[in-house]
Amino acid sequence: MLHRLRSRLSYANVVATLALVFAMGGSAVAASHYLITSTKQISPKVLTSLKGAKGRAGAAGPAGPAGVPGPAGAAGAAGAAVKGERGETGVKGEQGPKGDTSTTPWRKTIEKAGASKANPARVTLAEAPPFKLVGHCYVEGTSTFAATYLEVTSGSALV
């Protein structure tokens, strides 16, 4: 048995075995020496890049009890009353031309809201070509939503 072992024992096998033993021992020493035990051992740039995005803020907590009122401060001195002089009356300007005072009143209601956002109830609130003011209303769950949109009518030069 010893003869078989001696026949396989060569310089290369001995050196390879010793190198393996030293390498494993050196790794264990390095691991115990360079083990990170605190964030102070890590560069601030690395820590910043490791932090993820902040989450949403939590709900506000209940209000705390009211504090004890502080003592009243000393009364301040009364200010001096100062009255300014009236300035000159300015020059009266000319009256400009009377502009268009017509307005388009609108007060319309939608009897029943649409079934969904994709299929809202619509009503035309006002129309002054090439524009149209349209109201939308729909129900989603237990909430009702309404919106107003400005549309450009078809056939206009703006389309």
Side-chain angles (χ1 to χ4, degrees):
M1 171 94 170
L2 190 60
H3 177 60
R4 261 175 66 187
L5 181 64
R6 190 176 282 179
S7 67
R8 293 186 182 216
L9 196 61
S10 69
Y11 178 75
N13 287 343
V14 171
V15 170
T17 304
L18 287 174
L20 181 64
V21 168
F22 288 132
M24 289 176 70
S27 297
V29 169
S32 65
H33 187 300
Y34 294 109
L35 185 66
I36 296 175
T37 57
S38 169
T39 56
K40 292 179 182 177
Q41 295 172 293
I42 302 173
S43 168
K45 291 188 293 186
V46 174
L47 286 176
T48 304
S49 68
L50 291 176
K51 288 183 181 175
K54 288 187 177 182
R56 281 190 266 149
V68 178
V82 178
K83 185 173 182 180
E85 295 180 25
R86 185 179 178 108
E88 294 180 31
T89 303
V91 179
K92 186 173 182 180
E94 296 179 31
Q95 184 171 348
K98 190 167 187 167
D100 181 16
T101 59
S102 65
T103 59
T104 305
W106 51 276
R107 184 176 182 89
K108 298 186 181 184
T109 59
I110 296 176
E111 294 299 323
K112 186 175 179 187
S116 67
K117 187 175 184 178
N119 190 18
R122 289 175 45 116
V123 63
T124 300
L125 301 171
E127 190 168 355
F131 301 106
K132 186 191 306 184
L133 191 61
V134 179
H136 287 196
C137 183
Y138 63 93
V139 174
E140 192 172 280
T142 59
S143 300
T144 303
F145 297 93
T148 307
Y149 299 97
L150 183 63
E151 294 181 354
V152 177
T153 56
S154 62
S156 69
L158 296 175
V159 174

